[in-house]
Amino acid sequence: EDESEEEPKLKYERLSNGVTEILQKDAASCMTVHEKFLALGTHYGKVYLLDVQGNITQRFDVSPVKINQISLDESGEHMGVCSEDGKVQVFGLYSAEEFHETFDCPIKIVAVHPHFVRSHFKQFVTGGKKLLLYERGWMNRWKPSVLHEGEGNIRNVKWRGHLIAWANNMGVKILDMISKQRITNVPRDDISLRPDMYPCSLCWKDNLTLIIGWGNSVKICSVKERHASEMRDLPNRYVEIVFQFDTEFYISGLAPICDQLVILSYVKEISEKMEVECCARPRLDIVQPLPESCEEISSDALTVRGFQENECRDYHLEYSEGESLFYIISPRDVVVAKERDQDDHIDWLLEKKKYEEALMAAEISQKTIKKHKILDIGLAYINHLVEKGEYDLAARKCQKILGKNTELWEFEVYKFKEIGQLKAISRYLPRRDPVLKPLIYEMVLHEFLESDYEGFATLIKEWPGDLYNNTIIVQAVVDHLKKDPQNRTLLQTLAELYTYDQRYGRALEIYLTLRHKDVFQLIHKHSLFSSIRDKIVLLMDFDSEKAVDMLLDNEDKIPIDRVVEELENRPELQHVYLHKLFKRDHHKGQRYHEKQISLYAEYDRPNLLPFLRDSTHCPLEKALEICQQRNFVEETVYLLSRMGNSRSALKMIMEELQDVDKAIEFAKEQDDGELWEDLILYSIDKPPFITGLLNNIGTHVDPILLIHRIKEGMEIPNLRDSLVKILQDYNLQILLREGCKKILVADSLSLLKKMHRTQMKGVLVDEENICESCLSPILPS
């Protein structure tokens, strides 16, 4: 396979049917093409009208010798024929109109006016040694006139619109039929070539563009209007050669295709055996003209019958303008070249195994292609990928190519099974619209279950549970678990299968055993609270925080008493539950507050004191007993103070904690003079305590009481600073009192003035007002 090979631009086929029959006994000499039919001339003087398939529709016996040229008008109703024995005939194919003339020399060319069917265009030209114009005049008589002579035989002629181009031994001329003026002469380049062996090829691309091919030279000429200022005695038109280049081989024919050229070339090569020059296969090239060169677009060597015996003059190229059909005529063969359509393009891509591009081309042109179907190309592509071993890519393409065709999907799945590649296609199987038979999905699942537990689990998660028979798959998993009962992947997958099957209890047991994170989601989603009444401990062991939140959020489904009862043998979990319950509502679990004292003391002492403070339902005596047993000083102090035994609480702070600041704080909270007295008595022989008291009691107790009791000579740390602080606090108190007194006096005076102003105001009274003292009317009646 040549990856660099370019796709050909044209496709070829032989013109067969009647043509095959003709060329078995005769040889083709010329042909002309009309959009409706073909006209073929032979060496035995016959003219055949053919349809586009090559079937003979009419035959004319024109001459016993070679037909040199056939010409048709644009309507296809009139034909001109000339032959080697000098005969010229112009006649109507569907009318009795006819012209006959025999000359004394071979007539090489004939061309009827493109609009010959119209009465005022009854003209044709013919040429041997002279170029003659025949015009039908008065009383239907044909009048000849010489257009050109004296430069050898006329070899070719082409008539387009009002312009006639012809070639003789010297070059190419163009005649303007309107002005009857010759407007150019394009000389022949290579005069060493015999003009009868290497004839000139002429072709009009449009009404003003002539293409000339002679020997190995190509010229493209444009007919232009001459500016009025340049006229003088010159023709009103002139010709400009816009492109000119040489080819590798000798030219036998030319035809335009869009802005490019089709060139039929006669090729000679050196024989390796004989070491002599011999005829090779002719070439049909498509080239892009450039100002002084050309770019080859494509080149095809044509295997025509008898090419070894042919000369350059034996080949002709004719074309049909409307359909881009090109006819290569040789004595023993007629080959038709067509522009390749999308079907041909796809054929070539398939031949080169470029299936991806073929599929894309078919999708883009699906409305115009006739030969190919997108599905067939896609299936061929899948098969190709499978043959190459690209199983994953083949499976991925199935999604796009097979679409919603369930039969094809199932066929491909079985094909993948045969080659042991079910895993490859599993990811791409349709799961919704369409849905395949359950057997297909079960077959894939069994394949994974035998060799890949993780892949099996992934499919169970991704596939909806209604794609396959759940019972069958559950049983298969259970059978595998008998061999490997602790396999977490299989257990988790079995739980999911039970969930699909709505056997939530079994699924829950497995999730709890595995301590799987989805257990709470499963309970909430399917409201499995009745199933977890006896599994509370398992849930708490797995994730106590989530479990407690779930239990408290669903008290109506699982009562508090049931939870506490289930956790009776796991007091640490019981505490977690009751603690969170108390945080949510101090009163809901009040019956368990006594139990909670022990639980806090055992498992969560930092939260015991906050609990004692916030709870209004716990028995204080029981709490005090537990705290004293465990020597919880802070909690005992709080309970003693709450029970009214402040002196014992203060004593415990001083003796057990030896924390003067806390003792002072406690005394401040109680605001009891006797407590302050006890505190002073306990602290009087302890200098650090005295320092603490001096720094803090100034606003609650008169510091003199403490200072008078300090033993003389006792060394007290930071005494000076403490005394300074006492004095500063005293000064601050004095300032505050004075400031408050000033504010009070100012406010009193302001209010007094306001009352005096109010009392001095006059009051509106009437006969109904009475005196509040004597209850008599204020105004006399």
Side-chain angles (χ1 to χ4, degrees), residues 86-99:
K87 287 185 179 178
V88 176
Q89 291 187 29
V90 178
F91 54 92
L93 295 176
Y94 310 108
S95 66
E97 188 175 8
E98 189 172 2
F99 169 83

Side-chain angles (χ1 to χ4, degrees), residues 38-99:
L38 312 174
L40 177 67
T42 71
H43 280 258
Y44 288 171
K46 308 292 190 294
V47 175
Y48 296 91
L49 298 188
L50 312 168
D51 62 17
V52 291
Q53 281 79 37
N55 298 304
I56 301 172
T57 58
Q58 273 186 282
R59 167 180 161 175
F60 302 95
D61 293 323
V62 177
S63 170
V65 295
K66 175 185 172 184
I67 302 296
N68 284 329
Q69 193 165 13
I70 302 170
S71 176
L72 294 168
D73 68 349
E74 288 183 357
S75 69
E77 296 181 12
H78 295 83
M79 178 189 291
V81 183
C82 64
S83 58
E84 193 69 19
D85 59 0
K87 287 185 179 178
V88 176
Q89 291 187 29
V90 178
F91 54 92
L93 295 176
Y94 310 108
S95 66
E97 188 175 8
E98 189 172 2
F99 169 83

Side-chain angles (χ1 to χ4, degrees), residues 320-415:
S320 174
E321 291 186 28
E323 302 176 28
S324 292
L325 295 176
F326 304 92
Y327 295 84
I328 299 93
I329 302 100
S330 68
R332 297 294 177 186
D333 216 349
V334 178
V335 177
V336 184
K338 301 178 182 178
E339 280 195 279
R340 296 170 64 85
D341 56 18
Q342 275 301 98
D343 279 308
D344 300 311
H345 175 56
I346 293 169
D347 273 333
W348 185 82
L349 291 172
L350 293 176
E351 181 185 337
K352 299 298 177 185
K353 299 188 182 302
K354 299 182 178 182
Y355 292 94
E356 180 78 24
E357 295 176 39
L359 188 61
M360 189 181 302
E363 288 171 349
I364 293 172
S365 308
Q366 57 182 320
K367 293 182 179 180
T368 58
I369 57 175
K370 300 175 183 177
K371 181 179 175 182
H372 294 283
K373 293 182 180 177
I374 294 176
L375 181 58
D376 293 339
I377 298 171
L379 293 174
Y381 186 23
I382 293 172
N383 292 335
H384 172 68
L385 292 173
V386 169
E387 289 171 4
K388 288 176 64 179
E390 297 183 23
Y391 303 114
D392 186 74
L393 181 57
R396 189 161 68 245
K397 292 299 178 183
C398 285
Q399 284 186 310
K400 177 181 178 181
I401 293 165
L402 304 182
K404 298 181 180 181
N405 192 320
T406 54
E407 292 183 4
L408 285 176
W409 265 111
E410 291 168 7
F411 176 81
E412 290 298 327
V413 171
Y414 280 114
K415 189 165 71 176

Side-chain angles (χ1 to χ4, degrees), residues 449-517:
L449 191 56
E450 292 297 327
S451 58
D452 183 1
Y453 288 162
E454 293 294 335
F456 174 76
T458 301
L459 289 183
I460 293 298
K461 288 179 182 177
E462 292 178 353
W463 285 0
D466 57 354
L467 291 179
Y468 47 85
N469 188 322
N470 204 60
T471 306
I472 293 174
I473 303 302
V474 166
Q475 187 57 50
V477 176
V478 170
D479 292 340
H480 276 265
L481 279 171
K482 291 176 182 177
K483 304 172 190 175
D484 187 5
Q486 299 305 316
N487 190 292
R488 291 183 61 85
T489 302
L490 285 182
L491 285 169
Q492 184 177 330
T493 307
L494 182 60
E496 291 176 6
L497 289 167
Y498 280 142
T499 303
Y500 293 147
D501 214 19
Q502 297 184 358
R503 290 188 272 181
Y504 302 119
R506 291 193 176 185
L508 186 60
E509 288 177 9
I510 296 173
Y511 277 136
L512 287 172
T513 303
L514 297 175
R515 302 170 72 85
H516 194 276
K517 60 182 179 62

